[in-house]
């Protein structure tokens, strides 16, 4: 089975800090995604990447950027963290064809 | 973009009863519809999916139906068990990404 690893399970950062969330897959899948999960709002797409160095904005990209320099790694960057970015962040990969999407275990970020 | 509406937001059933969760989508070009189950503190897990060229799919106690004309799809869980208690998300794929509903919190009481 494919493995999707998010580097931190819990993270506490201060307002204004630059924050990096990392997601690594152990196979060669092209499509990777960053979602944000908040109670009552479901999963909302922040950014996705369909290949190395390629990225597309999702529904809520404001305040975020991404980087994909290598196929296996997709990073989410909070340029200047704010308290309203306190959330659960989930990375996902698409398994190709119609084999679904697999999620990482998530990073719960608290901005104080 | 795609807009996915999910109902109800909470659902409580007795063990052994059936549970139905309904979703609608807005863009007729959406072509793949998965359902995810998320237990407390865990990642969403795919439980069943359906493609746009199929009307119904079943896997043991769970089934999904798709009505392309009406742009809605539903999850059916029969003979519910306490371990079915979780948050369930529907999603629709348009292009590369999945667009999710807001989730249904299902509680199965013994």
């Amino acid at each position: 089975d494919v493995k999707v690893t998010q580097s931190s399970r819990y993270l506490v950062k201060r307002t204004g800090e630059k924050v990096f969330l990392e997601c690594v897959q152990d196979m060669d899948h092209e499509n990777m995604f960053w979602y944000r999960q908040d109670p009552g709002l479901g999963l909302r797409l922040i950014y996705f990447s369909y290949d190395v160095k390629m990225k597309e904005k999702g529904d809520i990209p404001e305040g975020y950027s991404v980087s994909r320099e290598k196929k296996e790694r997709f990073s989410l960057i909070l340029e200047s963290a704010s308290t309203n970015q306190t959330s659960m962040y989930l990375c996902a990969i698409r398994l190709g064809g119609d084999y679904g999407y697999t999620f990482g275990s998530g990073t719960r970020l608290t901005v104080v | 973009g795609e807009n996915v509406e999910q109902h109800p937001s909470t659902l409580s059933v007795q063990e052994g009863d059936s549970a139905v969760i309904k979703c609608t989508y807005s863009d007729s070009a959406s072509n793949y519809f998965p359902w995810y189950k998320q237990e407390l503190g865990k990642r969403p897990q795919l439980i069943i999916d359906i493609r746009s060229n199929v009307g119904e799919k079943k896997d043991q106690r769970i089934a999904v139906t798709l009505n392309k004309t009406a742009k809605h799809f539903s999850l059916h869980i029969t003979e519910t068990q306490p371990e079915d208690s979780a948050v369930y998300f529907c999603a629709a794929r348009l292009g590369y990404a999945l667009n999710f509903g807001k989730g249904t919190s299902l509680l199965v009481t013994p």
Side-chain angles (χ1 to χ4, degrees):
Chain A
D1 284 352
V2 64
K3 196 172 179 182
V4 182
T5 302
Q6 292 185 232
S7 53
S8 303
R9 190 78 175 94
Y10 298 95
L11 213 50
V12 180
K13 296 292 181 180
R14 294 194 181 279
T15 302
E17 275 193 80
K18 190 169 185 176
V19 181
F20 293 85
L21 303 183
E22 305 287 341
C23 177
V24 177
Q25 57 160 317
D26 65 350
M27 296 189 78
D28 211 30
H29 298 290
E30 292 176 342
N31 302 162
M32 298 184 74
F33 308 83
W34 276 107
Y35 286 88
R36 169 178 172 161
Q37 183 176 18
D38 299 288
L41 297 179
L43 287 78
R44 294 179 291 166
L45 181 65
I46 305 171
Y47 265 97
F48 67 95
S49 169
Y50 51 91
D51 207 342
V52 176
K53 297 191 186 293
M54 307 303 286
K55 60 186 179 185
E56 291 282 345
K57 292 180 180 179
D59 299 319
I60 51 165
E62 296 78 18
Y64 304 94
S65 62
V66 290
S67 172
R68 190 155 181 214
E69 296 296 317
K70 294 185 178 180
K71 201 163 194 177
E72 67 270 19
R73 185 181 297 269
F74 189 35
S75 302
L76 180 69
I77 304 158
L78 285 67
E79 297 291 343
S80 176
S82 64
T83 54
N84 62 12
Q85 292 178 310
T86 291
S87 186
M88 170 67 84
Y89 291 88
L90 288 160
C91 174
I93 63 169
R94 179 179 169 182
L95 300 178
D98 281 337
Y99 291 102
Y101 297 65
T102 293
F103 285 87
S105 55
T107 296
R108 183 164 294 282
L109 172 68
T110 302
V111 182
V112 297
Chain B
E2 174 65 279
N3 183 40
V4 179
E5 300 278 345
Q6 182 172 347
H7 298 280
S9 56
T10 60
L11 181 59
S12 183
V13 300
Q14 287 215 307
E15 183 177 1
D17 288 350
S18 294
V20 180
I21 303 170
K22 299 183 179 183
C23 289
T24 62
Y25 59 100
S26 59
D27 198 316
S28 57
S30 290
N31 58 8
Y32 171 69
F33 307 91
W35 286 87
Y36 284 83
K37 175 183 180 182
Q38 187 177 30
E39 296 174 338
L40 195 62
K42 297 190 175 180
R43 73 189 78 188
Q45 297 273 10
L46 178 70
I47 56 171
I48 196 167
D49 56 14
I50 192 166
R51 279 73 175 169
S52 58
N53 59 347
V54 176
E56 185 173 354
K57 183 177 178 180
K58 190 173 181 181
D59 183 5
Q60 298 183 343
R61 294 187 298 108
I62 60 173
V64 57
T65 59
L66 171 65
N67 183 326
K68 283 172 55 180
T69 303
K71 288 188 283 189
H72 67 70
F73 55 114
S74 301
L75 178 71
H76 304 253
I77 307 173
T78 59
E79 301 172 20
T80 54
Q81 301 166 3
E83 51 265 39
D84 294 330
S85 296
V87 179
Y88 291 81
F89 293 97
C90 65
R93 186 180 70 199
L94 182 65
Y96 288 102
L98 289 180
N99 299 278
F100 286 85
K102 293 184 178 179
T104 296
S105 179
L106 173 64
L107 178 65
V108 181
T109 54

